[in-house]
Amino acid sequence: QVQLRESGGGLVQAGGSLRLSCVASGRTSSSYVMAWFRQAPGKEREFVARITRYGINTNYADSVKGRFTISRDNAKNTAYLQMNSLKPEDTAVYYCAAARTVIAGGALRDYDYWGQGTQVTVSS
């Protein structure tokens, strides 16, 4: 079992930056693919970014490519999402997720564990 806890959300003006953190407890987080998803009001949860177990490969949704960076520090059991050049359309609850399978991609069903989410609000 893995428990995930996100932090770092908040209110920021358009063009600003935020850094989200996701701390994993339980089994060693390096065993899992880690990802970030987000859910805006009235919309379905969507994929944002993923990182493989040792950080070798990363993938991003087209909407955040070039602005967001996912990273991880397995020694700290923590994954990060650095968000730059934020836009109002980035406003959402951001969720951290962990997958046991190494082939986990951008589908919600690939992920076994989820955090409670952290709110990010970008004002125009």
Side-chain angles (χ1 to χ4, degrees):
Q1 288 288 334
V2 173
Q3 293 79 44
L4 304 174
R5 185 174 67 183
E6 305 94 336
S7 63
L11 173 64
V12 64
Q13 289 187 332
S17 298
L18 282 174
R19 188 196 197 199
L20 306 183
S21 298
C22 172
V23 178
S25 59
R27 293 193 63 182
T28 306
S29 66
S30 62
S31 301
Y32 300 89
V33 170
M34 301 295 293
W36 289 92
F37 289 77
R38 67 186 182 185
Q39 187 167 17
K43 295 188 176 181
E44 295 186 350
R45 195 170 298 189
E46 65 176 6
F47 170 74
V48 175
R50 71 181 275 275
I51 186 167
T52 51
R53 291 186 296 173
Y54 297 103
I56 303 299
N57 293 310
T58 58
N59 300 93
Y60 297 91
D62 288 343
S63 59
V64 307
K65 204 170 292 184
R67 300 187 297 121
F68 291 10
T69 303
I70 189 171
S71 61
R72 66 192 297 165
D73 184 341
N74 288 341
K76 296 182 178 180
N77 289 330
T78 302
Y80 304 96
L81 186 68
Q82 177 67 43
M83 306 186 295
N84 298 330
S85 302
L86 282 161
K87 304 175 182 180
E89 51 263 44
D90 295 318
T91 295
V93 177
Y94 283 70
Y95 297 90
C96 177
R100 293 190 298 261
T101 175
V102 298
I103 61 172
L108 275 71
R109 65 178 179 273
D110 292 344
Y111 293 85
D112 305 288
Y113 305 103
W114 294 84
Q116 293 298 308
T118 185
Q119 176 70 47
V120 171
T121 303
V122 184
S123 63
S124 56

